[in-house]
């Protein structure tokens, strides 16, 4: 039976729009709704207690739309608060397991790197999943504390000396560890792919948001095959300025208006 209910996607900011773009390509007939908690980004430097509270509010908001599935495109929420997005009958996919599985398949020398937010690394979630899926793979984990604000500021282009220096600094431990595969554990990071590729020549880059989108596709009941899916955007700050900034993440012009939501009103 066709199921035209929307797929909901959540991120702490705008990085999860990279997962929306992947979903739109994989499932063009599906309605997608995106919520970015732009008023409280980033989550990655906050305590787990705060991340759980913010995530629970976001989950309640998304659940009110009766989605048929949910993608938690925020790496931090996927590692520290995934349980808040899980409720009966609605599949929820985070970025951890899909990206770990892909990295375990991609590595040739058994050495994989993880670059993620401080909160994600602190949970040990990626290490736990890798130990279960591919215990022989050696995982080198590092945090990229400054990369989310860098990307949100649009500093992603080759030739930007600050961006290049930061990416090189964060990649140095992976070069020393000899990794041949790197999980970009935050959905902001793929916007820096060109810089990562230059800093880590020959290393396979795993886009956590794209892997989550691919994993979800196999779990959902499909919408009517001939319909054209619609996009709906929600943010917790600066809905008016959304289109210009979001276009960088979606890699296309945004014509759909963003709607403002105050999560502090959601108990």
């Amino acid at each position: 039976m066709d199921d035209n209910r929307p797929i909901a996607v959540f991120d702490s900011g705008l990085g999860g729009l990279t997962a929306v773009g992947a979903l739109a390509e994989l499932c063009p007939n599906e309605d997608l709704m995106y919520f970015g908690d732009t008023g409280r980004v980033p989550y990655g430097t906050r305590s787990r207690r705060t991340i759980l509270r913010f995530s629970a509010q976001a989950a309640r908001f998304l659940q009110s739309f009766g989605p048929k599935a949910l993608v938690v495109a925020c790496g931090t929420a996927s590692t520290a608060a995934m349980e808040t997005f899980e409720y009966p009958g609605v599949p929820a996919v985070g970025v951890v397991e899909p990206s770990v599985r892909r990295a375990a398949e991609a590595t040739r020398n058994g050495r994989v790197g993880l670059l993620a937010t401080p909160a994600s690394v602190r949970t040990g979630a990626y290490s736990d999943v890798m130990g279960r899926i591919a215990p022989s793979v050696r995982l080198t984990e590092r945090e990229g504390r400054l990369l989310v604000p860098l990307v949100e500021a649009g500093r992603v282009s080759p030739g930007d000396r600050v961006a290049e220096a930061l990416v090189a600094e964060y990649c140095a431990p992976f070069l020393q560890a000899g990794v041949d595969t790197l999980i970009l554990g935050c959905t902001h990071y793929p916007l820096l792919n060109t810089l990562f590729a230059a800093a880590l020549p020959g290393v396979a880059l795993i886009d956590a948001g794209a892997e989550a989108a691919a994993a979800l596709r196999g779990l959902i009941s499909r919408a009517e095959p001939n319909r054209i899916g619609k996009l709906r955007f929600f943010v917790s700050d600066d809905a008016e300025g959304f289109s210009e900034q979001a276009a960088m993440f979606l890699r296309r012009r945004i014509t759909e208006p963003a709607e403002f939501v105050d999560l502090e009103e959601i108990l």
Side-chain angles (χ1 to χ4, degrees), residues 24 26 42-43 63 73 112 129 139 158 162 167 172 205 210 243-244 250 264:
L26 291 170
Y43 281 19
Q63 289 167 15
V112 172
V129 174
L139 183 66
V162 172
V167 169
L205 301 175
S243 296
E244 182 177 350
L250 270 182
E264 294 298 344

Side-chain angles (χ1 to χ4, degrees), residues 163-227:
E164 289 179 340
L166 273 177
V167 169
E169 179 179 339
Y170 286 130
C171 287
F174 302 122
L175 287 172
Q176 294 171 1
V179 307
D180 71 354
T181 304
L182 177 64
I183 300 171
L184 300 178
C186 173
T187 47
H188 284 71
Y189 297 172
L191 271 74
L192 296 163
N193 266 0
T194 301
L195 302 185
F196 282 119
L200 296 169
V203 173
L205 301 175
I206 307 299
D207 182 331
E211 295 302 327
L216 184 76
R217 188 187 186 195
L219 300 177
I220 61 173
S221 51
R222 306 295 176 83
E224 296 174 43
N226 296 321
R227 70 195 300 271

Side-chain angles (χ1 to χ4, degrees), residues 7 9 16 18-27 32 69-73 91-99 101-102 105 187 206-220 222:
I7 298 171
V9 181
T18 57
V20 170
L23 276 170
E25 289 187 12
L26 291 170
C27 310
L32 305 175
L70 179 66
V71 175
V72 183
V93 175
V95 300
V96 180
E97 186 154 335
S99 58
R101 287 189 179 278
R102 181 71 187 95
E105 294 169 356
T187 47
I206 307 299
D207 182 331
E211 295 302 327
L216 184 76
R217 188 187 186 195
L219 300 177
I220 61 173
R222 306 295 176 83

Side-chain angles (χ1 to χ4, degrees), residues 115-137:
L115 186 64
T117 66
S120 291
V121 172
R122 191 164 57 239
T123 66
Y126 283 89
S127 181
D128 291 344
V129 174
M130 186 66 83
R132 173 167 52 84
I133 291 175
S136 64
V137 171

Side-chain angles (χ1 to χ4, degrees), residues 10-12 43-44 48 51-52 54-56 58 71-86 93-96 117 119-120 123 125-126 185:
F10 168 72
D11 186 59
S12 59
Y43 281 19
R48 187 168 189 268
I51 295 164
L52 283 167
F54 288 178
S55 296
V71 175
V72 183
C74 176
T76 301
S78 290
T79 57
M82 190 66 197
E83 65 271 22
T84 64
F85 294 93
E86 297 170 346
V93 175
V95 300
V96 180
T117 66
S120 291
T123 66
Y126 283 89

Side-chain angles (χ1 to χ4, degrees), residues 10-13 35-41 43 234-239 258-264:
F10 168 72
D11 186 59
S12 59
F35 173 64
D37 194 3
T38 52
R40 304 190 293 197
V41 66
Y43 281 19
F234 298 88
V235 292
S236 58
D237 187 40
D238 193 17
E259 301 173 54
F260 172 78
V261 57
D262 185 353
L263 283 189
E264 294 298 344

